[in-house]
Amino acid sequence: MDWPRGLDGLSYGGDYNPEQWPEEVWDDDVLLMREAGVNIVSLGVFSWARLEPREGEYDFGWLETVLDKLHAGGIRVCLATPTASPPPWFTLAHPDALNVRPDGVRQVHGSRDTYDVTAPAYREASLRIAAALAERYAEHPALAMWHVHNEYGSMSHSPHAERAFRIWLEAKYETLDALNAAWWGSFWSQHYGDWDQILAPRATQYLANPAHELDFKRFTSDAMLDHYKEQRDLLREANPEVPVTTNFVFGQWVPVDQWKWAGELDLIAFDSYPSAPDERAEQQSAFHADLSRSWAGGGDWLLMEQAAASVHSKDGAIAKSPGRMARHSMIHISRGSKGAMFFQWRAGRGGAEQWHSALVPHAGKNTRMFREVVELGNALPGIAHTTAEPVEADVAILWSPESWWATSGAHLPAPVDYLENAAQIHRVLRERGVVADFASPEGDLSKYSTVIAPTTYVLSRAAAENLRWFTAGGGRLVASYLTGAVDEHCQVWLDGYLGGLTDLFGIRVTEHLPQPAGERRALWNFGAAERFCELVELRGAQCVTQYATGDLVEGQPAVTVNPFGEGEAWYVSCKLGDDAWDRLFEELELTGPGGPGLDVVDRGEWRFIVNHTEQEAQVGHVIVPAGSWAVDKQPR
Ligand code: GAL
């Protein structure tokens, strides 16, 4: 499918909210977009209250005018269904369609994302507004893509959700006996005698059941996907030529299993909001980009949103220095995005995001920001042809949303930061110049020579077999602590953990040894273990390095390697620091043309270089000024 429809080059633009502005601004917007090289905008993302001011009564006049003006200006449109923010009349008429927090508080409108995808009234209203838009605009010449909803993520613990959860559970387990067995129901008297006894995992007196919580997140991901699919099918039917997407976002609060969703989107779209002010923002951007490309099966995807002028950290927004917006955009484009889009086109005067940066700042076009926007927008058409070939990676990092969800439980032997562990592997590889893919634990691994499983805590039987098959066939598998600690029902794998793969790793893990925060156990020649290590018994594997200090572990294997079939399985029994991972990757000869502060990505005959450092960089014959980027022919 040609996407976004009618757009040949790279997409450049962002969320456009003309409904927040008087009509006089709209013509100016189109002129400025043209000046900036903007060729596509996401329109109407939160406009439900303006499109359907009263139930069943529509006002499409303004949208019509805007669509026509954009079309006349040669700007394509990614038209949103506005279902992420139901209007006040809806929520007041259907309070049961508002989401309920685990503590039972029903949220009210006044912000956004107050919806419960399992509420029949919300489902109906969502379909109605989507159908009304499809009926009017499916054939509009400006329409390039449908943007369903926005950043699916709101969980609800409402009675509707509970009813739908029970139906989902019954389809999955068929019998209560099977569910009780899977959830280890005899513990704390949690044996269910009737499906109706099962609740959403609401606030409880003490620890919740991890299997119950994991299933609820799986269910929520599926329920939101159903909501997406209903709209997608309707939009597709209205015009099969127009691709349909929704924008993924990243966060612990987002129960979306991207592997399951990916096949349902015509194009993977991602909103990248790094959360650290320093060079970790570049690392996170590359991490987001490689994940998005991997969800897209290695093919094209689209950076749907990023902030133009600032990075949002815990301490508030940090201004992006000159050139940083372009470099972040190039991180994404070099790693497979078919463009760079932003939240948002014009900075708002009011509302909760009035201080969010934009392509057109409050101060207007005569600003440093807008000049940078124009510069990038005018540079992109010149490099569109260099993005035709895919990014090829030889190394994959396993990405397991379920391991992320399951390790967020408070019942673990010690806190585990799954996201950081996955990001750490990616970060260290990136610093070594290696561009990595991500892969699903149950996905096709055959094209990779090395697969790294960071703390892949939940390992299903199918995933374990997949890893066995990959290694036996000649692959190199590297797994870190707690991998395969539990199965798909959060039940511990007995007799050595490791997903039952003790023969593959040639070891048994016999004990988990959490240690106080800040205490380190040294490894010979390999840095130190932080916070967590395991007692490992060799069963055929060789010891690569051992613990040099620490009660119980001193002299015991810390990192091991075992030949298996045509391949080999490495195991890292502790949380290592970046330097130790770097040392291990040195041993595994994982290196590439980039390096610290330097993103280098090769695609076909083209080499993309993004220099984040304050010094000029030379890569092969190409010199890239400090804080700048270049695309050139690869050296032969
Ligand atoms: C995104 C969202 C946008 C806007 C942006 C602000 O997550 O999709 O609507 O809120 O964050 O950073």
Side-chain angles (χ1 to χ4, degrees), residues 471-603:
T471 315
R476 187 164 60 182
L477 174 67
V478 183
S480 77
Y481 73 105
L482 282 179
T483 287
V486 301
D487 68 8
E488 57 268 49
H489 302 304
C490 276
Q491 289 190 14
V492 170
W493 280 93
L494 296 178
D495 200 25
Y497 307 107
L498 294 172
L501 295 172
T502 50
D503 60 327
L504 169 65
F505 289 100
I507 55 171
R508 282 176 75 233
V509 173
T510 57
E511 232 179 291
H512 295 140
L513 302 170
Q515 56 207 70
E519 206 172 295
R520 290 156 69 87
R521 288 171 189 166
L523 275 58
W524 285 113
N525 217 1
F526 246 92
E530 302 163 358
R531 198 76 181 91
F532 205 98
C533 63
E534 299 167 333
L535 205 54
V536 167
E537 191 182 287
L538 295 178
R539 286 288 180 95
Q542 281 170 27
C543 178
V544 176
T545 188
Q546 30 180 258
Y547 294 97
T549 58
D551 280 354
L552 291 168
V553 287
E554 188 177 336
Q556 297 299 316
V559 178
T560 59
V561 59
N562 190 46
F564 187 84
E566 305 284 301
E568 54 188 34
W570 293 67
Y571 191 69
V572 175
S573 67
C574 54
K575 165 130 187 65
L576 290 176
D578 285 18
D579 50 344
W581 276 110
D582 185 58
R583 163 87 181 69
L584 180 60
F585 293 151
E586 181 71 35
E587 185 118 356
L588 299 179
E589 294 177 349
L590 297 176
T591 49
L598 210 56
D599 277 293
V600 179
V601 182
D602 292 335
R603 295 174 68 173

Side-chain angles (χ1 to χ4, degrees), residues 176 180 191-195 197:
L176 275 175
N180 283 319
H191 191 95
Y192 293 101
D194 192 299
W195 294 101
Q197 294 168 357

Side-chain angles (χ1 to χ4, degrees), residues 44 129 154 298 353 371 453 583 633:
I129 185 72
S154 278
E353 290 183 332
R371 282 190 285 278
R583 163 87 181 69
K633 287 260 164 80

